[in-house]
Amino acid sequence: MADTYDFRNIERPWQERWEREQIYIADSDDPRPKYYTMEMLPYPSGDLHVGHAKNYTLGDAVARTMRMLGYNVLHPMGWDAFGLPAENAAIARGIDPGTWTKSNIANMERQVRLMGTGYDWRREVATCDPEYYRWNQWLFLRLYENGLAYKREAPVNWCPHDQTVLANEQVIDGRCWRCGHLVERRNLSQWFLKITDYADRLLAGLDELDGWPERTKTMQRNWIGRSTGVTLKWKIEQSDATFETFTTRVDTIFGVTFVVLAPEHPAVAAIKSIVSKKNAAAIETFAESLQSKSELERTSLMEKEGVATGAYAINPLSHERVPIFVANYVVAEYGTGAVQGVPAHDERDFEFAKKYGLPIAQVIAQSDVGVDAPLTEPYTGEGRLIASGDFTGMRSERARDVIAEHLKAAGIGGKTVHYRFRDWLVSRQRYWGTPIPIVYCERCGEVAVPDDQLPVLLPADVPITGEGSPLARDEQFINTTCPSCGGPARRESDTMDTFFESSWYFLRYLDARNDAAPWAIDHARHWMNVDQYIGGAEHTVLHLLYSRFFYKFFHDQGWVSGSEEPFQRLFHQGMVLYNGEKMSKSRGNVVGIDETADKNGVDAMRLFLLYVTPPEDTSDWTDEGITGRVRFLNRVWRASEPFLAAAADVSPRELPPIASAEDRSLVRAVHVVAKSMVDEVSSRRFHFNTTIAKLDELVNAMTTAAQKTPDSRAFLYAVHALPLLLAPYAPHIADELWSRLGHATSIHLERVIEPEDAALEVDEITLVVQVNGKIRARINAPPGIAEDEAIALALADPNVRAQMDGKEVRKRIFVPDKLVNLVVA
C-alpha cells in the first residue's frame, strides 16, 4: 500500500466522475434553502496562474461548505470576453479576435476544471456570444426608451495618427501607447447612460450593505461625491455671456478674488471676443497645450497653472470686479466647469493666488476677536463672517442658509446638490464589443433597432489595423434600412463599454439558455440577490457601482424583486506575489496552474492558497510552502488510509466511547476543526487558514494515535471524520478516502459534522497571568472559574508573587477562561 498520496492517479478521475454525475447542478425547484455564490467572471486572456487560482479556490471552498451545510448552492462561471486585448492580439498576431478569445476560453476553462472547482457548467456564459450580447442590446434599448441612454458630445483622448479614441491608461506622457503620436482632446459624439439619475439611491443603498467592506462603501460614497451647496450665476463684464459656479461654502462669497474657467468652457469663446488679441492668443495657446493631457493629469498630477484672460466677472453679491483665469485644473466635464477662488479659505486657491499675485481677502474669522494680521495659511474652518456686507457678524452655518435664500429671491442662485461622478460614457470606437443597436435615417433621425431584429451581429472578417473604428469602415455593416420608414440608413458604428455586459451577467446565469428574455422573473425571484460575491477591490467604483445601477433600474421595471441591491455580501481577496512581486509574464515570475498541478497536485495547491494567509491579505507563493502542503497530504494519507477498513464501521455522526484522556483529546480535535469550518463561513470571514491549521493539529494527533492506539474507537472515529473535514479544501483526497470507506456517493453530497458541545468541553483551561501587562505565569484552572478564584490562583503563583514584591494591586482585569492581568504599584 502506497504511503503517499498519489495525486496523479486520483485527482483527474474524481473530476471526471463529478462532472459525469453532475453533482454541482443547482435547480430552482430544490426544497433546500438557496445560496447563490460567485466570483467575478474572468477575462479570457489565455493562461491562469496561481494568483487567479486563489480567487476560485476561495469561492469553491465557500460553495462546498455551504452545500455541506444543507444549502442548494448555485455556483456558476462565465467569461467577460469582449475588450481591447483581443483587438491588440488581432493586430499583433493577424488573428480574428473571436478566434483568439474562444481559444483562450477553452484553455482557461480546462484550467478552472483542473483546479477541482465545483461549478454548474450548464449556466456558463461568454459575453462575446451573440445569444448573450443580444440581451445587452435589448437592455440598452430599454434604457434608451426610459431616457437613460442618450448621445451627446464629450471630450475624449484622440490619436490623430491611428484615428482612434484612447482610454486614459493608453495615454503615456501625452502620447499614444501604440504609435507614440501626441494625443489630442477632441469633442466627439458619444453614448452615455444616465447613472446620475440614481445617485441618491446608490448612496442610500450602501447603508443596507452590512456585508460589504466598509472601505469599499466609503470609496463608492466618495466617488459619487454628493455635495449640498449653492449655485451662483456670474455675469461677464462687457458681455452678455454668463457662467455658473457651485460652492459648498457660500459664506465665503465676499472673499472671492478671482474665478477660474476650464479652457474648453463655452464662455471662453465669448471672452476671447472681448479681450485683446494678445490675451486671446494666450488663451488659445494655453488651451492647445492641454489638448494632449488627460483629465487625471490636469486635476491631480500637474502643477496648477493658469492664464489671466483679461476679462472680469461681477460678484453677484458684492458686485466687485474679479479677474477671470483659465486654468489646467478645471475641466468642463466636472461640475459647472468654473470655480470661484477664495484664497483666504481654500488651500488650492491660496497657492494659486500666491503664485499669480492675487489678493487674499479674509471673510471668516475663527473667533469674535477679529483679524489681527494677514493670513500665512488659509483658514478653512467655520467661524464668524467679517467684511461680508449685510451678512457680517453671522456664524458660517446660518450665513449659508441666509445667503442662499437671498440669492434665490434675487434670481441669481440657490441651493443645489452636485455629484462628483458623471454619467457613464459607454461608447467605444472599437470592433470587439457589443454593437449599439441604433440606426440613423435622414428622414427619421435616430431610430432604435426593433427587438425582433436583435442581435445586431458583429460582421466577420473586418480588418483591424488599430487605426480608426473598424466598423465605421465596413460599408456592408454600416449601410442598412431604416426600421421606421424603410429608407436608407446607417448603423451606429460604436460598440459598448465592456462593463455594460458585466453589469448584469449574474442574472443571465439564472437562465443562461432562455431565448425569450434575458432571464425569467421567477428565477430572479428565487435566486436573487447574490448571497456572496468574491472579487478584487479594483472594481469598487466601476463594475460594482454599475451593477448596482443596473439592478435598481431592473427593480423599477419589475424584472427583479426584493432588495434593490444585487450583492448581499462582498469579499475582496488579496493578491498572490512571487518573490515579493506581482506575477507577470514580462517579469518572468509567473507560477502556472498546469505546472503546479503536475508537480504538486491540485489539493496541495488549494491548501497552500487557503492556508498561507487570511484570504483578504496579500500572500507570497513559496516553494517551501507548497512543499509543506504536499507533506501534509502525505501525513493525512498515512494517518488514515491503512485504517479505513476498520473505520468503516465507526460512524462519524455519533460520538465514540471515550476510554482515555488521549481519546477525549482526539475527539475534541475533530470537533474543533468542525466548529472552525462552520464558523468561518457563518461569520463570512473565510479564514480557512485557521481551519487548516487546526487540521494540521488533528492530523498530528491522529499520527500519534495510529502508532499507539490504532484500534481505539476514538481514533477510528477520527479516521472516518477526517474526509468530511477536508472536503471543502482538498476535495480529491477527501472523496478518495470517503470512497475507500465504502461510501457509494460523493462526499460532496454529505452534510458537515455538526460540532457538539459535549465533544468540545475541556476538563481544564490555561489562564495567562500578566503583571503590569507582561506575562508572568500560565496556570491551569477549571473552565468557567470565577474571577475571585482566578485572582487567588494567580496570586498564589510563585512567579507572580515575586513580581508583586509587596506592591499593592491597583487594578485587576479578568477575561473569563483566558486572562488575568494585575496592575500593581
Side-chain angles (χ1 to χ4, degrees):
M1 185 62 64
D3 62 355
T4 59
Y5 170 51
D6 183 10
F7 63 86
R8 288 189 177 89
N9 289 314
I10 289 175
E11 291 180 343
R12 185 56 192 157
W14 276 110
Q15 293 171 10
E16 292 170 352
R17 177 175 165 180
W18 296 334
E19 294 186 19
R20 186 169 61 250
E21 295 180 356
Q22 296 189 320
I23 66 171
Y24 304 121
I25 295 300
D27 290 321
S28 299
D29 56 2
D30 191 305
R32 293 174 296 172
K34 71 94 178 176
Y35 189 82
Y36 186 3
T37 184
M38 54 185 276
E39 302 85 60
M40 294 180 184
L41 81 174
Y43 181 81
S45 56
D47 252 328
L48 295 173
H49 56 65
V50 294
H52 301 110
K54 177 178 180 177
N55 190 27
Y56 309 123
T57 300
L58 174 64
D60 191 61
V62 172
R64 289 182 183 280
T65 307
M66 295 305 294
R67 194 176 288 114
M68 293 181 75
L69 282 168
Y71 288 86
N72 179 28
V73 175
L74 173 57
H75 190 208
M77 172 55 79
W79 311 97
D80 190 9
F82 273 139
L84 186 59
E87 288 198 30
N88 293 338
I91 297 168
R93 298 174 175 84
I95 188 173
D96 174 69
T99 302
W100 184 82
T101 300
K102 288 173 183 175
S103 173
N104 289 348
I105 287 175
N107 182 57
M108 289 173 64
E109 181 178 325
R110 176 192 62 77
Q111 290 181 306
V112 170
R113 291 176 184 267
L114 176 65
M115 285 187 277
T117 49
Y119 291 111
D120 184 346
W121 287 103
R122 298 176 311 163
R123 301 173 182 271
E124 180 183 15
V125 300
T127 60
C128 64
D129 289 341
E131 55 266 32
Y132 185 94
Y133 72 71
R134 166 195 179 187
W135 298 111
N136 270 354
Q137 295 169 342
W138 187 89
L139 291 170
F140 179 92
L141 293 175
R142 304 294 83 79
L143 289 159
Y144 182 73
E145 292 166 358
N146 283 272
L148 294 172
Y150 67 95
K151 196 171 190 182
R152 68 171 174 84
E153 282 205 343
V156 295
N157 300 315
W158 177 260
C159 176
H161 178 270
D162 286 349
Q163 295 288 295
T164 188
V165 170
L166 302 174
N168 282 340
E169 58 267 24
Q170 295 171 320
V171 180
I172 302 172
D173 296 329
R175 295 182 178 274
C176 174
W177 69 282
R178 182 185 289 126
C179 70
H181 200 281
L182 279 172
V183 170
E184 300 174 357
R185 291 285 283 177
R186 284 193 180 181
N187 281 336
L188 293 182
S189 190
Q190 305 278 294
W191 283 95
F192 291 82
L193 298 184
K194 211 168 187 180
I195 190 174
T196 52
D197 275 12
Y198 284 73
D200 286 333
R201 287 168 65 183
L202 288 166
L203 281 171
L206 292 170
D207 295 334
E208 299 177 21
L209 297 175
D210 296 333
W212 280 41
E214 202 57 46
R215 182 172 178 269
T216 300
K217 293 192 290 183
T218 297
M219 289 177 68
Q220 285 209 5
R221 288 189 183 99
N222 293 341
W223 185 262
I224 294 168
R226 188 182 195 276
S227 298
T228 301
V230 170
T231 298
L232 304 90
K233 181 180 289 186
W234 295 70
K235 292 182 178 179
I236 298 175
E237 191 177 63
Q238 298 180 1
S239 173
D240 293 331
T242 62
F243 61 89
E244 291 184 340
T245 60
F246 172 81
T247 178
T248 59
R249 293 295 305 270
V250 75
D251 52 319
T252 65
I253 183 65
F254 283 83
V256 174
T257 61
F258 64 94
V259 292
V260 179
L261 302 184
E264 59 273 18
H265 192 290
V268 173
I271 289 172
K272 287 191 292 186
S273 70
I274 64 171
V275 298
S276 68
K277 290 183 178 180
K278 180 180 178 181
N279 282 339
I283 296 169
E284 193 68 35
T285 299
F286 183 73
E288 288 175 357
S289 74
L290 298 176
Q291 284 188 347
S292 64
K293 305 302 180 184
S294 69
E295 182 178 318
L296 176 65
E297 289 176 292
R298 286 176 56 179
T299 58
S300 301
L301 304 180
M302 296 176 67
E303 183 180 348
K304 306 297 184 281
E305 294 182 339
V307 169
T309 64
Y312 289 81
I314 306 301
N315 188 313
L317 280 186
S318 71
H319 305 298
E320 293 180 346
R321 299 167 75 240
V322 294
I324 301 174
F325 279 70
V326 290
N328 56 4
Y329 64 88
V330 183
V331 292
E333 286 293 296
Y334 181 69
T336 63
V339 298
Q340 54 200 50
V342 188
H345 305 292
D346 181 272
E347 292 178 3
R348 182 186 63 187
D349 296 346
F350 186 84
E351 293 173 4
F352 193 85
K354 284 286 189 181
K355 182 172 185 176
Y356 292 101
L358 298 168
I360 299 173
Q362 184 174 358
V363 293
I364 304 291
Q366 189 170 0
S367 68
D368 294 332
V369 176
V371 180
D372 295 326
L375 291 172
T376 58
E377 61 182 16
Y379 172 62
T380 59
E382 304 275 297
R384 180 178 57 84
L385 271 65
I386 58 175
S388 297
D390 294 340
F391 309 100
T392 298
M394 291 185 184
R395 305 299 298 179
S396 291
E397 185 175 356
R398 178 168 179 264
R400 285 194 287 271
D401 289 333
V402 173
I403 294 173
E405 289 301 319
H406 179 86
L407 292 167
K408 181 180 178 182
I412 52 175
K415 288 186 176 180
T416 52
V417 175
H418 271 227
Y419 299 93
R420 179 180 179 275
F421 82 146
R422 283 159 279 174
D423 283 342
W424 174 10
L425 192 159
V426 294
S427 288
R428 296 294 182 271
Q429 290 71 39
R430 312 208 180 280
Y431 169 76
W432 194 235
T434 299
I436 293 175
I438 298 291
V439 301
Y440 303 99
C441 172
E442 287 191 7
R443 181 183 303 173
C444 305
E446 198 175 88
V447 181
V449 174
D451 291 353
D452 61 6
Q453 294 182 23
L454 301 179
V456 176
L457 293 169
L458 278 173
D461 302 321
V462 174
I464 301 174
T465 63
E467 299 180 5
S469 167
L471 293 180
R473 296 193 302 266
D474 191 308
E475 291 297 320
Q476 191 171 353
F477 173 80
I478 287 294
N479 294 317
T480 187
T481 300
C482 174
S484 180
C485 71
R490 294 179 64 82
R491 290 195 188 279
E492 172 62 71
S493 61
D494 285 358
T495 53
M496 296 183 200
D497 179 7
T498 56
F499 280 113
F500 192 105
E501 49 257 22
S502 64
S503 294
W504 68 278
Y505 74 101
F506 47 90
L507 284 158
R508 187 60 178 171
Y509 280 153
L510 308 183
D511 212 3
R513 305 297 169 252
N514 189 336
D515 62 0
W519 65 87
I521 292 175
D522 60 329
H523 288 332
R525 187 180 300 116
H526 176 77
W527 287 109
M528 292 300 292
N529 50 9
V530 176
D531 295 279
Q532 184 66 61
Y533 199 22
I534 299 173
E538 67 272 17
H539 297 294
T540 293
V541 294
L542 295 172
H543 161 63
L544 290 169
L545 188 64
Y546 297 154
S547 297
R548 295 181 60 229
F549 159 51
F550 268 36
Y551 201 73
K552 291 180 189 304
F553 171 69
F554 299 160
H555 205 281
D556 292 345
Q557 303 307 304
W559 303 334
V560 296
S561 56
S563 171
E564 288 193 4
E565 293 295 334
F567 312 122
Q568 182 175 342
R569 292 184 174 275
L570 175 68
F571 189 93
H572 296 312
Q573 84 285 353
M575 295 174 59
V576 179
L577 307 179
Y578 189 55
N579 293 330
E581 293 184 319
K582 184 178 179 181
M583 293 186 195
S584 72
K585 292 179 181 177
S586 62
R587 290 192 181 99
N589 67 344
V590 170
V591 180
I593 287 175
D594 290 297
E595 64 188 78
T596 303
D598 182 64
K599 181 180 178 181
N600 305 114
V602 172
D603 280 348
M605 177 180 70
R606 289 171 61 106
L607 284 167
F608 174 81
L609 292 169
L610 294 171
Y611 175 69
V612 63
T613 60
E616 67 272 21
D617 292 348
T618 295
S619 52
D620 212 328
W621 182 271
T622 64
D623 295 336
E624 296 83 0
I626 185 67
T627 301
R629 291 302 93 193
V630 172
R631 288 198 300 267
F632 168 75
L633 287 171
N634 289 334
R635 293 203 311 275
V636 166
W637 192 259
R638 288 192 295 269
S640 56
E641 200 281 334
F643 310 100
L644 295 175
D649 295 330
V650 180
S651 172
R653 307 295 181 187
E654 298 176 9
L655 292 179
I658 302 298
S660 65
E662 289 77 11
D663 283 358
R664 180 177 291 106
S665 178
L666 187 57
V667 171
R668 184 174 187 276
V670 168
H671 284 260
V672 165
V673 177
K675 185 175 187 303
S676 177
M677 179 178 172
V678 174
D679 287 349
E680 291 307 325
V681 291
S682 60
S683 68
R684 307 302 191 266
R685 292 185 311 169
F686 307 139
H687 284 192
F688 299 130
N689 57 305
T690 301
T691 309
I692 295 169
K694 296 181 187 304
L695 271 166
D696 274 353
E697 295 172 3
L698 171 61
V699 173
N700 288 340
M702 289 176 63
T703 300
T704 300
Q707 296 169 353
K708 293 183 177 181
T709 56
D711 296 327
S712 158
R713 300 286 288 181
F715 169 67
L716 297 175
Y717 167 82
V719 169
H720 206 145
L722 182 59
L724 291 166
L725 303 175
L726 284 167
Y729 324 118
H732 307 87
I733 192 173
D735 230 342
E736 181 69 17
L737 294 173
W738 191 250
S739 174
R740 295 189 185 202
L741 279 161
H743 298 284
T745 57
S746 171
I747 197 170
H748 303 297
L749 300 175
E750 294 291 325
R751 292 284 301 227
V752 297
I753 293 176
E754 298 288 348
E756 295 192 32
D757 291 339
L760 291 166
E761 287 178 358
V762 292
D763 293 331
E764 63 180 16
I765 50 92
T766 300
L767 278 175
V768 174
V769 182
Q770 295 178 338
V771 178
N772 290 341
K774 293 185 178 180
I775 297 175
R776 298 303 181 184
R778 287 181 171 86
I779 56 178
N780 295 328
I785 186 173
E787 179 176 352
D788 289 342
E789 295 176 53
I791 299 294
L793 280 175
L795 292 173
D797 184 89
N799 289 334
V800 174
R801 284 202 309 270
Q803 293 298 318
M804 298 286 292
D805 193 25
K807 296 174 183 175
E808 181 184 349
V809 177
R810 296 294 181 85
K811 184 178 181 181
R812 61 190 202 180
I813 300 168
F814 177 64
V815 180
D817 287 355
K818 293 183 182 298
L819 175 74
V820 171
N821 185 12
L822 302 173
V823 180
V824 302

